[in-house]
Amino acid sequence: MARTSAEDIPDIEPIPEPEGPTEVIETDYEIGQDNIERSWTLSFDIHQVVFTWSALAIMAFIVLTLALQDEVEPVFTGLRNWLTGNLDWFFLLSGNIFVLVCLALIVSPLGRIRLGGPEATPDYGLVGWFSMLFAAGMGIGLMFFGVSEPLSHYSSAFGGISIGEDGLRTDWAPLGGAEGDVTAATRLGMAATIFHWGLHPWAIYAVVALALALFSYNKGLPLTLRSAFYPIFGERVWGWPGHVIDILAVFATIFGLATSLGIGAQQASAGLDYLFGIGTSNAVLIFLIIFITAIAIASIVRGLDSGVKVLSEINMGLAAALLLFIILAGPTMDILTGFLANLGAYGQHLPALSMPFGREDANFAQGWTAFYWAWWISWSPFVGMFIARVSRGRTVREFLVAVLIVPTLLSVLWMTALGGTAISQVVNDGVSAVQDAALELKLFEMLARLPLTAITSFVGIVLVLVFFITSSDSGSLVIDTIAAGGKINAPVVQRVFWAIVEGLVAIALLLGGGLIALQAMAVSTGLPFMLVLLAACYAIIRGLLNEPR
């Protein structure tokens, strides 16, 4: 769900003071007091602990992975399988907690509290705010999985349950499947897809965003994740407890971005090979990652207004045009009626899909859901800070309703249009190519059955590339803010450094195990940060209880 447009994040404004009576936290800590600041050939301003440990650990990971490519592949495979096989219940349970906390805050009196103080007014109008939430909800993940996931879940559900010699299920069908029933398999497949792109991921983002907004806009603390833990650690949050939280946030974001960059490179290379026959070798993938990173760096150097802003506006227009084209050129009535039917199926199957214990569909829960939850967790510092920066002046209730509902509905529409069209081609037109294609090729096989194939496929490739360019730029800003001790106007060279690191990590993971390695690192960095977010739920409630309502 890689997820945002960088032009919407003002990177040089100071955090505004609370407006009206709020419970400001009095602290002697000053932003940047633990930083190392130099101005030689290149200026830098970095938190001496967070930046140093994060950078050294990540660079060591890159070097070791590239040096030991053959040896690390089975390590990544074993790591992913162990984490998803043994801790899938923890990922699912935590995701449920985040949703329940958000829903409880919506209906409780705490929902009346305004971010920024009782007298604060929204920084953006309602339409503009919704459009930025839409920008946060669209991204490389929807391009990669928009066709492949609904079709995969439909196919596995339609195939039904299969039992191995050990008595365990070997199929990948969600829940009990829907063997031989086209309608039931379609609805179950779409419900499973929406489950991964609906309330749960957005509740994860909402927790991070609410924590950042509350403790920065209402409590007067720096815009870093450690600030949310002041109710737990007190002044110690400026020491090692806070350092660990921010370092984990850097790790999670770096590997989440690298996972998306690797997936995007695989899909872009598959699309280019589909159109022009350039191949999908490691050399092509590396070239694409370097190309994407170079453009991201150029946009960083040019600045938000003249760089990424233009790319983002073009990209969002292309995404909307592609969606509209598929709705009109595809099975229009099936898509429009399927939107409501899929929402109903999501509501019907949600309790069973979110059950963390006693699952018989182990392949689905471990291979799909556990990975997704870890991936969303790794993206949460990035998307959460974006949402926090554009949501000042909203009440907690208004904030949570919008963050949970608006992006969810837009994701449902996207998945229904792309996935529903692919399923219709398989069921009604007897097209097997889209069903048999590799994950990264399913989008292009689906577009091949619609008019203007060459144009729409090329647009799809451009969307994949530019979605990540804008995300890389914005992600570098967020990582740099954390690694600079909460400063939001640190030297540009530091954002360039983190953009380069993202590309190097993606290359290392692709060479050290491909998609499995990408998934393994997303899961392994998402796990410890899951604990951070669970503690953040408690801190948010404590912080809100002290606010005037």
Side-chain angles (χ1 to χ4, degrees), residues 257-271:
L257 286 165
T259 299
S260 296
L261 178 51
I263 289 174
Q266 288 181 323
Q267 188 174 33
S269 68

Side-chain angles (χ1 to χ4, degrees), residues 57-343:
I58 292 170
M59 295 306 294
F61 170 85
I62 293 171
V63 172
L64 290 174
T65 303
L66 290 176
L68 305 170
Q69 293 177 30
D70 295 334
E71 289 81 359
V72 298
E73 183 173 359
V75 174
F76 286 133
T77 302
L79 179 63
R80 185 201 64 172
N81 292 341
W82 189 89
L83 288 172
T84 57
N86 291 277
L87 296 175
D88 57 314
W89 63 269
F90 178 68
F91 284 109
L92 268 69
L93 180 61
S94 300
N96 294 341
I97 290 173
F98 298 137
V99 173
L100 292 175
V101 167
C102 291
L103 295 178
L105 289 176
I106 289 174
V107 300
S108 77
L110 298 177
R112 296 197 299 267
I113 295 171
R114 190 171 296 275
L115 299 174
E119 299 173 11
T121 56
D123 293 335
Y124 301 93
L126 201 60
V127 174
W129 185 47
F130 281 161
S131 69
M132 284 186 281
L133 292 178
F134 172 77
M138 289 295 295
I140 209 166
L142 291 180
M143 292 299 298
F144 188 88
F145 291 105
V147 171
S148 63
E149 186 172 354
L151 189 56
S152 295
H153 294 330
Y154 161 78
S155 299
S156 57
F158 185 78
I161 296 174
S162 59
I163 306 295
E165 294 181 357
D166 55 1
L168 299 177
R169 284 177 58 173
T170 59
D171 63 274
W172 285 75
L175 303 179
E179 185 174 0
D181 189 331
V182 170
T183 301
T186 300
R187 294 294 167 250
L188 179 57
M190 291 304 304
T193 302
I194 298 169
F195 173 57
H196 292 150
W197 294 85
L199 294 177
H200 282 75
W202 285 101
I204 292 171
Y205 297 150
V207 167
V208 177
L210 183 56
L212 288 167
L214 174 66
F215 286 92
S216 294
Y217 297 143
N218 294 62
K219 308 295 185 182
L221 297 180
L223 191 67
T224 62
L225 286 172
R226 72 170 71 200
S227 296
F229 291 83
Y230 194 95
I232 298 174
F233 295 112
E235 288 295 316
R236 289 179 298 161
V237 81
W238 313 123
W240 270 104
H243 299 340
V244 171
I245 291 168
D246 282 348
I247 290 171
L248 286 175
V250 171
F251 286 167
T253 307
I254 278 286
F255 286 104
L257 286 165
T259 299
S260 296
L261 178 51
I263 289 174
Q266 288 181 323
Q267 188 174 33
S269 68
L272 290 170
D273 181 58
Y274 185 82
L275 290 178
F276 307 114
I278 65 170
T280 57
S281 64
N282 283 339
V284 174
L285 293 175
I286 293 171
F287 171 79
L288 283 172
I289 291 174
I290 294 174
F291 173 74
I292 294 170
T293 303
I295 297 180
I297 291 172
S299 72
I300 290 171
V301 173
R302 287 177 61 86
L304 296 180
D305 288 338
S306 59
V308 173
K309 181 177 181 179
V310 176
L311 289 174
S312 297
E313 290 173 345
I314 294 173
N315 214 39
M316 295 310 300
L318 286 175
L322 180 63
L323 177 63
L324 182 61
F325 170 80
I326 292 172
I327 292 174
L328 295 177
T332 306
M333 289 307 299
D334 287 348
I335 293 173
L336 296 179
T337 57
F339 177 78
L340 294 177
N342 293 337
L343 276 176

Side-chain angles (χ1 to χ4, degrees), residues 74-92 356 362-363 365-375 516-531:
V75 174
F76 286 133
T77 302
L79 179 63
R80 185 201 64 172
N81 292 341
W82 189 89
L83 288 172
T84 57
N86 291 277
L87 296 175
D88 57 314
W89 63 269
F90 178 68
F91 284 109
L92 268 69
N363 284 336
Q366 297 171 8
W368 282 97
T369 306
F371 163 67
Y372 264 128
W373 275 206
W375 194 17
I516 290 176
L518 294 167
Q519 293 176 339
M521 291 313 300
V523 173
S524 59
T525 53
L527 177 62
F529 203 66
M530 186 85 76
L531 299 172

